[in-house]
Amino acid sequence: MSIKQHIGGKWRLGRGRELQSIWNPATGELVDQYPSASVEDLSDAVASAVRGFSAWSQVSAWERGRILERAAANIRQRLEQIAEAITEEQGKPLSESRTEVERAADFFVWAAGEAVRIYDRCIPARSGEDQRVCHVPVGPVCAFTPWNYPVVLVAKKIAAALAAGCACVLKPSEETPTAPTLLVRACIDAGVNAQALNLVLGNPSEISEFLISHSDIRKVTFTGSISVGKLLANQAAAYVKPITLELGGHAPVIVMPGCDLEQIVPQIVSKKFHNAGQACISPSRFFVHVDLHEAFVDAFARGANQIVVGPGHDKGVQMGPLANARRRESVSEMIRSSLDSGAILQTGGSAELSGGFFVPPTVLDNVPSNAVVMRDEPFGPVAPVSSFRSLDEALTKANCLEYGLAAYAFSPDPKTQDEIARRLEAGIVGINCLPAHLPELPLGGWKESGLGVEGGAEATQSYLRTKTICRRRDV
Ligand code: NAD
């Protein structure tokens, strides 16, 4: 019962009755249990955020930037401890956890720079007024983050919110709480106003209902599934609160004729099975021109087969288990139903390692468009492949779903590259590459994949609101 929550500037155990459980995904064993936040805890966290906001929003932008830079330095200094916690609770290989922590620090450095780039604007007046447009922090924010990247997805939100001068009540995933807790410690130790950064843990729907409906919370931000995103958007709409949503994706990959498979397939294999496919921008539907189809599937299956799967703490492991039993069941069911719909299993399929939540890297060929895995985000190590004959057909298939987060294509022909880049309907498009979400790049889902943008110069903007001040100096 070691997991504490950060409320009112102090670390304390939740006072709720319900216990939350932490499982080790590599063994399937219970690691720890801890008490949820009570309604009183949540109320204290909001009151603290209100107090913290009045202090933190008055700290100069340069000073906020310096503090966020120190937070980044603390995160890097504590990298091993944070990475260990990610692997223990989420399952990914330690090397991936380390990269995630580095990336989280990068988000703080980026936000530190953006803090001093929030500019007011003067508008020429028709007569003698001063007309000024100010961008001011929106107020206390509630932030909900998931378990697939327990640290970097928190960093994206709180670094931008703090840079803008906002206070936060953060609710990370109840299943992977330790690493976010360490991240918040790194921020407080760096000098972030302790009242301004609160962390609560517990039943997600009870916490989100409380926080979104609270009159002192001025903005909502969520990363997670489309279904929960829609629910929270409805709750926020009832109070006319702004909301940022970073939701699911089902990223198509188009492979055009003339590609060098030896060069592109290793990149695709590595990106597809990174974090066991549990990433919103993971490549997850593969459309390959008929001329290359057979060779591509062959190379893809061989690459997938060579991935070393095992507990994330073991040396040499390239892919860990899925993060929880729900994901293992859901992905296994998707594979079963794809095979029922006529897909051909090239490699993987059923779990070989017992105990943990493992599903092997799986490649499915000739997957019909109506198979569940082609329609619903797999969020796991499953790669469905099908072929096409014309670019129009490939783009129609790529754009046919209500997802629009990421999309990728490979082609040696510059004209085709231009056309694909123009016609793919997604917030981030990779041509001949599979980009990561870096702090300097804006990422915002199209269609049902999201609302608003995280990253880039846009990141801080979403934590600001506009105030226009017209002033005459004489009366
Ligand atoms: P889920 O929708 O139950 O939970 C996703 C996350 O949302 C969890 O961290 C959970 O704590 C949180 N959550 C759930 N209900 C909530 C509520 N009412 N209020 C606030 N937060 C809430 O799904 P899951 O089983 O954990 O994951 C399954 C699906 O979620 C995946 O298939 C994937 O589509 C999606 N997902 C997306 C991302 C992403 O990065 N966009 C991350 C995790 C999960």
Side-chain angles (χ1 to χ4, degrees):
M1 303 258 274
S2 56
I3 304 288
K4 292 192 175 154
Q5 322 211 359
H6 192 252
I7 298 171
K10 301 225 159 48
W11 291 96
R12 72 190 205 201
L13 283 174
R15 294 169 184 172
R17 286 218 192 97
E18 194 184 335
L19 286 181
Q20 299 297 327
S21 300
I22 306 174
W23 302 87
N24 180 338
T27 61
E29 284 163 7
L30 187 66
V31 175
D32 199 1
Q33 287 193 309
Y34 62 92
S36 300
S38 64
V39 169
E40 191 194 14
D41 290 329
L42 299 177
S43 181
D44 290 351
V46 175
S48 170
V50 170
R51 287 192 300 276
F53 177 65
S54 43
W56 181 249
S57 58
Q58 295 308 308
V59 173
S60 77
W62 279 99
E63 183 58 12
R64 290 202 302 270
R66 274 191 287 271
I67 292 171
L68 294 179
E69 272 172 16
R70 281 203 297 274
N74 286 347
I75 292 165
R76 290 193 214 283
Q77 206 181 34
R78 302 169 195 187
L79 183 143
E80 277 308 315
Q81 189 193 10
I82 304 175
E84 284 280 342
I86 297 176
T87 294
E88 174 79 7
E89 295 178 358
Q90 198 273 350
K92 68 182 72 174
L94 206 45
S95 58
E96 285 187 18
S97 297
R98 291 188 183 114
T99 309
E100 181 180 340
V101 181
E102 282 282 355
R103 186 66 47 76
D106 288 348
F107 270 94
F108 275 86
V109 172
W110 176 259
E114 288 302 298
V116 295
R117 294 192 189 95
I118 300 166
Y119 304 127
D120 291 353
R121 211 160 83 231
C122 280
I123 312 269
R126 293 175 182 227
S127 50
E129 301 91 2
D130 285 340
Q131 300 185 137
R132 200 151 55 91
V133 181
C134 307
H135 299 288
V136 295
V138 66
V141 169
C142 64
F144 305 99
T145 57
W147 43 261
N148 54 335
Y149 290 93
V151 161
V152 82
L153 297 178
V154 172
K156 276 185 199 185
K157 294 188 190 303
I158 64 174
L162 291 169
C166 291
C168 302
V169 180
L170 164 71
K171 188 212 75 70
S173 167
E174 60 288 355
E175 294 167 305
T176 52
T178 303
T181 302
L182 294 170
L183 192 78
V184 167
R185 273 188 197 277
C187 293
I188 304 296
D189 293 349
V192 169
N193 182 295
Q195 303 271 335
L197 184 52
N198 296 270
L199 178 150
V200 294
L201 290 157
N203 182 303
S205 56
E206 283 172 23
I207 295 180
S208 58
E209 263 178 58
F210 180 95
L211 293 177
I212 294 172
S213 64
H214 198 294
S215 56
D216 287 330
I217 294 290
R218 303 291 179 200
K219 156 136 190 140
V220 182
T221 174
F222 170 77
T223 298
S225 62
I226 292 180
S227 54
V228 174
K230 285 180 176 175
L231 185 82
L232 302 195
N234 272 318
Q235 291 172 6
Y239 301 92
V240 199
K241 291 189 185 180
I243 185 164
T244 299
L245 296 171
E246 211 269 73
L247 306 177
H250 201 344
V253 180
I254 297 174
V255 180
M256 295 298 290
C259 286
D260 176 356
L261 293 183
E262 274 188 28
Q263 207 227 323
I264 70 167
V265 172
Q267 293 176 51
I268 290 175
V269 169
S270 156
K271 187 77 171 184
K272 168 67 234 176
F273 300 109
H274 183 86
N275 202 13
Q278 301 163 114
C280 52
I281 60 170
S282 184
S284 52
R285 295 179 287 146
F286 297 84
F287 303 114
V288 185
H289 191 270
V290 280
D291 290 353
L292 289 180
H293 176 222
E294 211 179 307
F296 176 88
V297 171
D298 223 49
F300 198 3
R302 254 185 291 121
N305 214 12
Q306 282 163 8
I307 288 177
V308 180
V309 180
H313 278 109
D314 287 8
K315 260 212 158 104
V317 160
Q318 292 167 304
M319 194 186 97
L322 296 186
N324 51 56
R326 290 190 309 286
R327 286 272 24 91
R328 182 187 52 190
E329 299 327 317
S330 159
V331 172
S332 304
E333 179 47 38
M334 248 185 202
I335 296 171
R336 270 194 295 274
S337 86
S338 302
L339 297 176
D340 289 346
S341 334
I344 299 165
L345 184 68
Q346 294 292 331
T347 188
S350 51
E352 292 141 18
L353 293 167
S354 56
F357 308 136
F358 291 94
V359 171
T362 298
V363 177
L364 300 167
D365 192 18
N366 286 344
V367 183
S369 303
N370 62 357
V372 178
V373 72
M374 276 293 189
R375 287 187 284 110
D376 294 350
E377 178 182 32
F379 224 66
V382 187
V385 185
S386 82
S387 62
F388 67 85
R389 288 182 182 280
S390 70
L391 178 56
D392 276 343
E393 183 191 347
L395 286 164
T396 303
K397 286 179 167 171
N399 289 333
C400 76
L401 302 180
E402 281 308 307
Y403 296 95
L405 192 57
Y408 312 103
F410 291 85
S411 166
D413 174 45
K415 269 198 175 155
T416 310
Q417 293 166 12
D418 284 347
E419 181 169 0
I420 294 178
R422 185 172 54 78
R423 290 176 60 189
L424 277 174
E425 296 169 359
I428 189 164
V429 170
I431 304 290
N432 294 338
C433 61
L434 297 146
H437 185 210
L438 301 171
E440 62 273 30
L441 299 179
L443 173 65
W446 287 21
K447 301 191 252 184
E448 294 195 358
S449 284
L451 201 60
V453 171
E454 294 193 313
E458 286 84 346
T460 34
Q461 299 302 321
S462 70
Y463 294 97
L464 299 170
R465 60 184 161 186
T466 304
K467 180 184 270 183
T468 300
I469 302 173
C470 301
R471 180 166 79 164
R472 290 197 73 93
R473 291 186 183 269
D474 51 342
V475 223

